[in-house]
Amino acid sequence: MGITTAASANGDSESAILLIPKTTNPDKIPKDSFHLAYIIYFTLGAGYLLPWNALITAVDYFTYLYPGASVDRVFAIVYMLVGLTSLLFIIAFAHKSNSFVRINLGYALFLVALLAVPLMDVWYVKGRVGVYGGYYATVAVVGLCGVADGLVQGGVVGNAGELPERYMQAVVAGTAASGVLVSVLRVLTKAMFPQDTRGLRQSANLYFIVSIVVMLLNIIFYNVAHRLPVVKYYKDLKSVAANEEKEQKGDITGKLWRSTLWDIVGSVKWYGSGILIIYVVTLSIFPGSVTEDVHSDILKDWYPIILIASYNVFDLIGKILTPLYIVENARVAIGASFGRLLFLPLFYGCLHGPEIFRTEIPVMILTCLLGLTNGYFTCVLMILAPKTVQIQHAETSGIVLVLYLIVGLAIGSVVSWFWVL
């Protein structure tokens, strides 16, 4: 099993594993001064999941407003289907579009969607129950967020795939930080606000206000990132490699692009399959099982909140472990991802097994392990996969990986309805 240790002081020595032109001089790689590029990519990773987290965390308020609707399931289906469709279009036309434009457009759509919900609540819904015009408008906003997610997530992960591995780790760790932030907000709002109509409304608006602030920060950060020397260096390498390929093969369009795309998919398919199975297992258990099917007489309604927070914290821990210790053997990492299928019978035992397995401690331990392995192996596979293709195709490989991830989320969400029946 191959292992790499933590990055060197300037954090870019691992660039040697990128499939970049052989004429590159490692001594000329710019330093990431003050780790600014790393911080930016971490923040970008946290930012693109916040809109979805805000919507789903405020689901209690939406359920109160629209009692006749299956809010959480409708939100999940619309978001995933629209996001999946958006990603398929991006992959098909990646060679004709510019990631800089796609990502800025996605952030603009996120900002519009995040502003629309609280403004609609203030001026139209006004906390009244059964105003279903607001429900349909909210579902449309969820769909808009799905489009934005495809544009931003695919683009940010794709951009990180062109850079040394520490920047992909930053993005993936940022996604986990988003979950931790939402858990903290959930704990604070439960402690601060009464769990009545007014309290639920205040909590929901707080989630959206925080998300709007982070989104504005992300827009600024992303546009700053392109001017950083270390990012410009790898963008220039990509341009050189793309021009060399163009001279050899001609314009990458039509049949040649489809052939190139299939080559990219072939290079990352096993990594993608590992990511897919990770999220099938995780979403079939979390959050549904830990919020609806386990109970504690001691912790009462705090129990699911504590379990969700524990999962998110350990997911973050898993994603920040890779700079210290990363499995480089792809077969081991992919095999371990499939090995997580063992969580299904283990959690089933916590629901329907002997009484001792249904107590707080076994459930807590399994939930923490679920988060830790989800974070670690997701990060490992996302880091390794883009390095299997040439630098000019690293962005596309990153988008393909996100497609695998979203398919895994969708399948896991469906399985979660059935496996504990």
Side-chain angles (χ1 to χ4, degrees):
M1 181 171 69
I3 302 169
T4 181
T5 56
S8 65
N10 68 10
D12 297 312
S13 61
E14 67 269 39
S15 61
I17 65 172
L18 286 163
L19 294 185
I20 59 179
K22 294 181 180 179
T23 55
T24 302
N25 185 354
D27 294 331
K28 293 184 178 180
I29 299 175
K31 290 185 178 181
D32 182 10
S33 300
F34 305 105
H35 302 287
L36 184 57
Y38 183 92
I39 293 169
I40 286 177
Y41 274 91
F42 182 90
T43 308
L44 294 177
Y48 65 67
L49 283 188
L50 267 183
W52 167 248
N53 283 330
L55 287 163
I56 205 65
T57 307
V59 74
D60 289 345
Y61 182 56
F62 293 128
T63 301
Y64 164 77
L65 290 178
Y66 315 114
S70 300
V71 176
D72 51 349
R73 292 185 178 182
V74 171
F75 279 13
I77 290 171
V78 170
Y79 192 91
M80 289 181 186
L81 286 178
V82 173
L84 185 62
T85 304
S86 175
L87 269 177
L88 288 172
F89 273 102
I90 291 168
I91 291 171
F93 298 101
H95 61 297
K96 293 183 177 180
S97 59
N98 185 292
S99 63
F100 182 79
V101 174
R102 291 200 309 267
I103 293 172
N104 275 298
L105 175 60
Y107 278 130
L109 294 178
F110 269 143
L111 196 57
V112 169
L114 289 170
L115 286 167
V117 175
L119 290 177
M120 182 171 59
D121 182 62
V122 171
W123 290 337
Y124 177 57
V125 178
K126 299 178 181 178
R128 295 173 295 170
V129 176
V131 184
Y132 282 93
Y135 170 67
Y136 299 126
T138 305
V139 171
V141 166
V142 172
L144 187 63
C145 283
V147 174
D149 183 84
L151 293 167
V152 174
Q153 184 172 187
V156 169
V157 172
N159 282 179
E162 299 170 351
L163 303 172
E165 62 184 50
R166 70 192 303 258
Y167 302 103
M168 180 67 82
Q169 184 271 330
V171 170
V172 178
T175 63
S178 173
V180 172
L181 174 60
V182 169
S183 290
V184 170
L185 289 174
R186 184 71 183 93
V187 170
L188 289 176
T189 54
K190 183 172 176 58
M192 291 167 52
F193 302 131
Q195 298 303 293
D196 55 15
T197 305
R198 184 168 173 269
L200 291 173
R201 189 182 187 190
Q202 288 175 320
S203 299
N205 285 331
L206 178 62
Y207 301 145
F208 284 100
I209 289 169
V210 171
S211 298
I212 289 167
V213 171
V214 173
M215 208 54 52
L216 288 170
L217 189 64
N218 273 19
I219 292 171
I220 296 169
F221 273 15
Y222 178 69
N223 285 278
V224 167
H226 276 260
R227 298 192 174 121
L228 297 178
V230 65
V231 176
K232 289 174 67 176
Y233 175 83
Y234 285 99
K235 291 290 183 185
D236 290 343
L237 287 181
K238 176 186 175 181
S239 297
V240 170
N243 289 334
E244 289 178 356
E245 184 178 39
K246 185 176 179 180
E247 289 176 4
Q248 294 172 4
K249 300 180 179 179
D251 290 331
I252 309 294
T253 56
K255 186 177 180 180
L256 182 56
W257 168 245
R258 289 191 292 271
S259 175
T260 302
L261 180 58
W262 281 115
D263 288 341
I264 295 169
V265 172
S267 296
V268 303
K269 64 182 179 182
W270 284 110
Y271 299 90
S273 298
I275 291 170
L276 184 148
I277 200 66
I278 285 172
Y279 285 91
V280 168
V281 172
T282 297
L283 265 290
S284 67
I285 298 168
F286 178 89
S289 178
V290 301
T291 57
E292 298 177 7
D293 301 315
V294 296
H295 306 282
S296 171
D297 293 331
I298 300 172
L299 299 172
K300 301 187 184 301
D301 60 345
W302 278 98
Y303 191 38
I305 294 173
I306 292 171
L307 287 175
I308 290 172
S310 299
Y311 170 89
N312 285 327
V313 168
F314 275 84
D315 181 46
L316 177 59
I317 291 172
K319 287 171 179 173
I320 62 177
L321 282 177
T322 51
L324 303 175
Y325 184 95
I326 181 170
V327 177
E328 288 186 337
N329 189 316
R331 291 184 179 181
V332 172
I334 295 167
S337 301
F338 279 86
R340 293 180 79 254
L341 288 165
L342 289 172
F343 278 116
L344 296 176
L346 289 172
F347 268 94
Y348 188 88
C350 288
L351 296 176
H352 304 290
E355 183 68 28
I356 192 171
F357 293 138
R358 288 184 277 160
T359 56
E360 290 86 353
I361 292 177
V363 174
M364 180 69 72
I365 291 172
L366 279 179
T367 301
C368 291
L369 288 174
L370 184 74
L372 184 70
T373 54
N374 182 91
Y376 183 76
F377 290 110
T378 296
C379 199
V380 168
L381 294 175
M382 293 291 281
I383 285 171
L384 296 180
K387 311 314 176 189
T388 63
V389 301
Q390 294 175 309
I391 189 172
Q392 67 268 33
H393 301 307
E395 180 189 349
T396 303
S397 73
I399 299 172
V400 170
L401 290 175
V402 173
L403 182 62
Y404 275 101
L405 190 154
I406 290 182
V407 170
L409 290 173
I411 295 173
S413 298
V414 172
V415 173
S416 69
W417 295 359
F418 301 105
W419 77 280
V420 293
L421 293 179

